Amino acid sequence: MENFNPANNIRKDCCAISEKFDVIREYERNISLNKLINKVQPTQHMKKSRQKRYEQMIKCLDENDKIEKVFVVDTGAYNGEELHCITHSGIVFILNREQHEDCPYTGLITILIARVNQLDRYGYQISEYTRQKAKLHEQQGLNYV
């Protein structure tokens, strides 16, 4: 990673890289996948570094996809807790929790195609369909976009 400085574990584009991943709780509010895709306001990080990824990930969503689970997660990010919105097809939208709660559908940090072991870190039983989609995406190398 060319923007990575191993001396201080910081990427030049703003973000600290952390091994911390604490699932605090399930998020109690409903989040609409349709609104998340069509109305979301991305963070500067997303706009600058992740636009290509976003476009590729949206193509991986199923036609009738929906958000299966949402978790509040502490990754040690300097902007605070995150919302991890996991879709039925194994796509994870990561939002800044505080920004989202102040103004819904803002604060998209990134989007990723999760591997099965990443989904398992949330500590809930994922559906067999989601598990198979995650395996397929991993075999296709889509989680490296």
Side-chain angles (χ1 to χ4, degrees):
M1 184 181 335
E2 65 189 40
N3 287 335
F4 180 66
N5 180 347
N8 60 9
N9 210 31
I10 301 282
R11 289 196 323 235
K12 288 181 191 174
D13 61 355
C14 80
C15 302
I17 310 245
S18 173
E19 294 297 319
K20 184 174 185 175
F21 189 91
D22 294 329
V23 176
I24 297 170
R25 68 183 189 293
E26 276 193 55
Y27 192 63
E28 57 280 351
R29 294 185 185 168
N30 288 331
I31 295 180
S32 161
L33 180 58
N34 185 40
K35 287 181 181 176
L36 192 58
I37 294 168
N38 295 309
K39 297 185 179 192
V40 72
Q41 298 295 314
T43 60
Q44 287 300 318
H45 170 69
M46 180 71 184
K47 286 180 188 175
K48 288 169 55 176
S49 305
R50 302 282 190 236
Q51 190 61 38
K52 181 180 177 187
R53 175 187 287 186
Y54 179 80
E55 292 166 4
Q56 180 68 37
M57 302 302 168
I58 294 301
K59 293 176 186 174
C60 293
L61 292 169
D62 291 339
E63 185 176 332
N64 296 313
D65 217 335
K66 63 182 182 179
I67 292 179
E68 187 171 312
K69 292 278 187 181
V70 179
F71 295 97
V72 177
V73 178
D74 180 3
T75 61
Y78 66 88
N79 282 332
E81 295 173 348
E82 301 170 345
L83 295 179
H84 289 217
C85 308
I86 304 169
T87 70
H88 193 56
S89 59
I91 310 299
V92 182
F93 289 81
I94 301 175
L95 301 113
N96 176 285
R97 185 189 60 80
E98 186 175 311
Q99 192 173 351
H100 174 79
E101 287 181 350
D102 288 344
C103 183
Y105 303 102
T106 61
L108 179 67
I109 299 167
T110 195
I111 180 173
L112 61 90
I113 294 181
R115 297 182 305 272
V116 173
N117 66 334
Q118 289 173 312
L119 293 173
D120 289 342
R121 294 193 313 174
Y122 293 98
Y124 82 99
Q125 184 64 39
I126 61 172
S127 68
E128 187 57 31
Y129 180 82
T130 302
R131 184 174 292 281
Q132 291 305 316
K133 288 292 280 194
K135 284 180 184 177
L136 177 63
H137 291 150
E138 189 171 1
Q139 289 168 353
Q140 294 172 337
L142 295 176
N143 52 312
Y144 292 105
V145 172

